[in-house]
Amino acid sequence: MPERPELAALAGAVGLLERWTDGLGRPVAADDEVRARLLEALGHPCASEAAARASLAALGEREGRRLAPPTLVVEDGGDRRGYVDLREAPGFGAGPVEARVLCEDGSERRLPVDGARVPLDGLPQGYHRLVLARGGLTEEADLIVAPATCPDPDASLRPSRTRGLMVNLYTLRSARGTGHGDLGDLRAVLDRAAGAGLDYVALNPLHWLSLDGGQDCPYQPSSRLWLDPLYLELEAVPELAGFAPERMPAAWRAELAALRAAELLDRRRIAALRLPLLRAAHQFFRAQHEGTDSERGRAHAAFVAREGTLLGEHEVFEQCAREFETADTTSWPDGAPRDGEVGRGLHCSPGQSGRGLYSLHQVGLGDVATAGFYAWLQFELDRQLGEVAARAARLGMRPGLQIDLAVGCRKHGEETWTRPGLYVDGVGLGAPPDPLNPRGQDWGLAAMDPWRLRRDGWRHWRDLVRRNLRHAGMLRLDHVMGLTRQYWVPDGLGPERGGYLRFPADILLGVLRLEAARAGRLVFGEDLGTLPEGFRDELRRERLLGSRVYCFERRGDDGFPPPAELHGEFQLSFATHDLPTWREWWAGRDLARRAAGGMFAAGELEAQQALRARERHDLVARLVAEGLWSEGAAPASADALLAPMHALLQRSPARLVAFALDDLGGEDESINLPGTVGARLWRRRMEVPVEEVPLSAVPPRAEAGDRA
């Protein structure tokens, strides 16, 4: 019997797990203090047993008033049920029930009611509203009709080996850049990758971080709806036609040279160098194109119309961030706009000149010279990324670009400010202890309330998926298990003391399937870490590709497995952005970094170093067994084994195989190592310019063991 049975009952009704197994294989029981903190954050008072009982009764009363669940997902062409069983719903009137569907296209369909069952088969795919009426009362429910699975990978991937290149775009160094990899560098990568027989480039998230220098990690964005303007290729902006650095003032050229040569990324300085040019380009655009019938003017108008209020909210937030010199809303002064209050009624409307200007009078910020600047940046980013995606298609690359959707957004940034009703204060996303992070992780990401997301009609999730699919050949979902459960850490308790909250995977996956089908794009889920039992099987039923990393595949005394045993619908790579590079792994430098971060107990570093030595031995033994290395030959360096290791990966019948540009470029240090700290995390740039990275360690396409 739990010490607080009413608290336990409330936690179960809300979706908090009572027990789970952490990444170290240890059973964990829910902590009453943690559960109480999470329930209070979710809006369910539970300081006492009486308060918990009252909250449980209120929750049951709200849910019990309905004839049907508030959201229904129906498979189009699947084998799951295509009906809804009506509930008793005391107090909802008496008599027969009438049912109709308000379809997404504006049409209306009446449905038969068979006793207490309403058939939902035969409806078109889309987002509809089910309207139920009885006894003079009505209720509505969201009705999502989606394909039974995500798009079939066979329709988008090569029948033979599909191979990709993993690229941290912002780290790229080039002769023409400004200290931050951009879409021009991506175009160069695509050209070289296609020439090496590769089929796609897998990118880090391109989300908007901020331009105030306060954030470097692409997985902690201010907003996942928008692209970061530091990825703009300056020379490709039409209003900067003819731009040449050599024509700029001496001080500007000196700063450019310093940023190009810098070892570490400095977003604030890069933004300061680029933004004056972009502001001048925007002014030229407004004078020549905005509100006109020119081709560029029409394209801009169409973009603004398509993005609507979301784009207006982005404009206002960034104008506020510029005015207050920070994108952290907790540092904004008293009297600044509050979360989301400017979104209502904000739109792109004619200004005094007759051209479309974003109205900022609600917040007292901006002027005619700056209005619409941030929206214009998104317009140009969308155009440039679209052209890069089209280039990949022309090069014959399938699927082309793999775009990454981060699992969450930063606390107190744009996404939480424009959608305050969806996020929970006082908690953050993280992960329980596992072998790489025995203390667990707190990612500093805002937690989204699934109950509030339901009341929002799932619109924010739809927007996130749709926008990130726009130019993707394949969408990668970071931490995809977050669709079924998320590990929440109360502020101040530390990641060891968190709790799991269930998420409505059936609904979130229904939206994902529908949006992926409409875009005709593949979906790929990063399913590493502490997974619930059977989760990978569910992803395969959904036709979501998964992830495997070979450095985790060693099987104790049996060593690394033959590649033929690594078959399945997943992407295979040696490591990921959260793991050491090939050189770093081989030398064991990541172990020293983890030890310096306090992640090892006394004496554990030596044990880990001994284990790494066995792993190196076992990997060479596997290469020898596969005929990829000569028995008894000692490798002169890690570099000598890179091509054989890549050839080993390619012999797996895995659906996708990916090689890391960092490994091809000989990087000694990963961009991130969870659980460690330091000024270099997420800021390390590649040593070798992208034009000079050797691709000789990429194996040829045709190879023994390739997919038939």
Side-chain angles (χ1 to χ4, degrees):
M1 184 74 175
E3 292 185 14
R4 294 194 56 187
E6 300 291 350
L7 177 72
L10 176 61
V14 170
L16 291 174
L17 269 62
E18 182 178 1
R19 300 180 183 279
W20 63 89
T21 301
D22 70 12
L24 298 171
R26 303 175 303 191
V28 180
D31 180 323
D32 275 353
E33 181 185 359
V34 171
R35 286 197 291 189
R37 289 278 300 273
L38 297 180
L39 288 168
E40 293 279 356
L42 286 163
H44 303 289
C46 58
S48 66
E49 283 292 85
R53 187 182 310 113
S55 292
L56 181 60
L59 181 64
E61 197 274 333
R62 286 198 303 271
E63 295 300 303
R65 285 200 305 257
R66 297 190 58 89
L67 285 167
T71 304
L72 300 161
V73 177
V74 176
E75 287 186 356
D76 180 24
D79 56 4
R80 300 180 190 178
R81 69 177 190 174
Y83 57 87
V84 58
D85 287 324
L86 302 178
R87 300 166 173 172
E88 290 295 328
F92 197 88
V97 173
E98 295 181 354
R100 57 196 173 99
V101 172
L102 305 178
C103 294
E104 186 178 28
D105 62 6
S107 63
E108 180 176 328
R109 298 191 183 194
R110 294 196 172 275
L111 302 178
V113 179
D114 181 10
R117 175 168 290 184
V118 181
L120 299 173
D121 295 315
L123 294 169
Q125 292 183 12
Y127 302 103
H128 314 309
R129 296 289 288 171
L130 174 65
V131 181
L132 301 173
R134 185 172 72 181
L137 300 176
T138 63
E139 77 173 28
E140 295 188 11
D142 290 304
L143 176 58
I144 302 170
V145 181
T149 68
C150 291
D152 185 352
D154 288 338
S156 299
L157 301 180
R158 291 182 179 275
S160 60
R161 170 71 63 238
T162 299
R163 311 179 310 157
L165 191 63
M166 299 186 297
V167 177
N168 301 300
L169 180 57
Y170 69 97
T171 70
L172 299 190
R173 189 185 300 272
S174 69
R176 48 149 297 279
T178 55
H180 183 288
D182 60 27
L183 294 174
D185 296 323
L186 177 55
R187 189 173 60 250
V189 168
L190 283 172
D191 289 347
R192 299 199 64 207
L198 297 172
D199 305 302
Y200 67 99
V201 171
L203 299 168
N204 58 266
L206 305 181
H207 307 318
W208 182 288
L209 297 183
S210 73
L211 298 179
D212 60 10
Q215 185 55 261
D216 296 305
C217 174
Y219 290 93
Q220 294 177 322
S222 181
S223 175
R224 294 171 290 170
L225 290 169
W226 308 108
L227 300 169
D228 194 300
L230 292 191
Y231 289 115
L232 271 177
E233 180 187 3
L234 292 180
E235 302 92 327
V237 177
E239 289 75 28
L240 289 176
F243 163 74
E246 58 269 20
R247 299 177 186 172
M248 298 297 290
W252 193 94
R253 298 197 308 273
E255 177 71 347
L256 174 64
L259 291 171
R260 283 177 172 173
E263 183 180 10
L264 300 180
L265 185 75
D266 191 331
R267 289 179 55 84
R268 187 188 297 273
R269 286 176 61 189
I270 295 168
L273 183 79
R274 293 164 57 97
L275 283 181
L277 285 169
L278 290 168
R279 289 190 184 279
H282 174 238
Q283 289 308 299
F284 184 85
F285 167 81
R286 290 191 55 209
Q288 297 296 319
H289 299 292
E290 187 175 5
T292 73
D293 194 43
S294 69
E295 181 179 356
R296 191 149 165 81
R298 292 194 304 272
H300 177 261
F303 177 80
V304 168
R306 187 184 74 230
E307 301 303 334
T309 301
L310 288 173
L311 189 62
E313 291 172 341
H314 172 67
E315 177 72 26
V316 171
F317 180 89
E318 295 304 329
Q319 289 283 5
C320 291
R322 168 178 170 265
E323 182 80 3
F324 305 138
E325 299 181 341
T326 178
D328 182 349
T329 57
T330 61
S331 299
W332 288 5
D334 294 340
R338 293 188 299 276
D339 294 356
E341 70 178 2
V342 300
R344 294 181 295 274
L346 189 67
H347 59 283
C348 187
S349 59
Q352 292 180 346
S353 67
R355 296 189 173 96
L357 303 178
Y358 281 90
S359 173
L360 301 180
H361 67 272
Q362 297 100 322
V363 295
L365 296 170
D367 52 38
V368 172
T370 61
F373 173 64
Y374 295 99
W376 174 80
L377 289 177
Q378 293 305 313
F379 161 65
E380 180 58 18
L381 279 160
D382 182 77
R383 185 192 70 82
Q384 287 194 15
L385 184 57
E387 290 193 351
V388 171
R391 185 182 189 89
R394 289 195 301 272
L395 290 169
M397 301 180 75
R398 297 168 50 196
L401 296 183
Q402 183 187 107
I403 302 293
D404 201 344
L405 173 57
V407 67
C409 63
R410 189 167 77 239
K411 297 178 181 178
H412 314 302
E414 178 182 339
E415 195 172 320
T416 59
W417 185 79
T418 55
R419 295 292 178 272
L422 300 183
Y423 290 91
V424 178
D425 292 329
V427 299
L429 296 185
D434 62 28
L436 286 179
N437 302 277
R439 296 175 302 184
Q441 299 176 67
D442 185 345
W443 297 327
L445 300 176
M448 190 187 304
D449 183 344
W451 295 74
R452 300 180 197 178
L453 189 61
R454 183 183 77 179
R455 291 195 291 270
D456 181 57
W458 316 99
R459 282 189 293 271
H460 188 51
W461 174 239
R462 286 156 52 180
D463 289 337
L464 286 172
V465 174
R466 184 179 301 154
R467 286 199 52 70
N468 283 277
L469 275 169
R470 179 166 164 75
H471 297 302
M474 175 164 49
L475 180 67
R476 176 188 184 270
L477 298 178
D478 179 42
H479 196 70
V480 70
M481 64 284 290
L483 298 181
T484 191
R485 70 180 189 183
Q486 293 184 5
Y487 189 75
W488 286 14
V489 181
D491 290 352
L493 287 190
E496 302 95 333
R497 298 188 64 199
Y500 272 111
L501 177 67
R502 290 190 184 92
F503 267 63
D506 59 331
I507 299 171
L508 299 175
L509 287 169
V511 170
L512 182 66
R513 295 196 303 268
L514 179 55
E515 293 297 335
R518 287 179 165 180
R521 302 292 189 264
L522 294 180
V523 184
F524 161 41
E526 185 265 303
D527 55 350
L528 304 173
T530 307
L531 301 176
E533 187 175 354
F535 182 64
R536 278 180 168 158
D537 294 335
E538 176 61 26
L539 293 186
R540 300 300 87 79
R541 284 192 292 270
E542 299 278 341
R543 282 187 175 159
L544 263 77
L545 302 171
S547 305
R548 295 291 186 281
V549 290
Y550 195 65
C551 68
F552 286 163
E553 293 293 329
R554 182 177 175 272
R555 300 170 183 176
D557 293 339
D558 292 332
F560 286 93
E565 295 183 8
L566 300 177
H567 55 83
E569 296 295 296
F570 54 77
Q571 173 179 278
L572 178 66
S573 59
F574 181 77
T576 72
H577 63 271
D578 281 329
L579 296 170
T581 66
W582 169 248
R583 276 189 177 182
E584 188 177 23
W585 183 87
W586 185 263
R589 282 187 292 270
D590 59 303
L591 301 176
R593 290 172 64 189
R594 292 173 62 198
M599 299 183 67
F600 294 150
E604 189 177 353
L605 174 60
E606 291 76 11
Q608 290 291 327
Q609 289 171 330
L611 175 60
R612 182 62 54 81
R614 291 197 297 274
E615 290 173 337
R616 288 195 297 266
H617 173 273
D618 290 347
L619 183 59
V620 172
R622 174 49 53 197
L623 293 174
V624 170
E626 297 293 325
L628 296 170
W629 191 255
S630 299
E631 186 171 5
S637 66
D639 293 349
L641 289 172
L642 183 61
M645 187 270 289
H646 283 168
L648 179 73
L649 297 181
Q650 185 164 280
R651 289 188 178 183
S652 161
R655 202 68 174 92
L656 308 168
V657 172
F659 315 118
L661 189 67
D662 277 353
D663 293 340
L664 295 167
E667 291 298 325
D668 292 315
E669 180 184 357
S670 57
I671 59 169
N672 181 45
L673 204 59
T676 62
V677 296
R680 299 179 63 84
L681 290 182
W682 302 110
R683 297 182 61 208
R684 187 270 293 156
R685 301 177 63 209
M686 289 194 71
E687 289 287 337
V688 180
V690 65
E691 303 92 344
E692 301 174 16
V693 174
L695 301 185
S696 55
V698 173
R701 177 177 297 282
E703 180 148 329
D706 205 358
R707 289 177 66 96

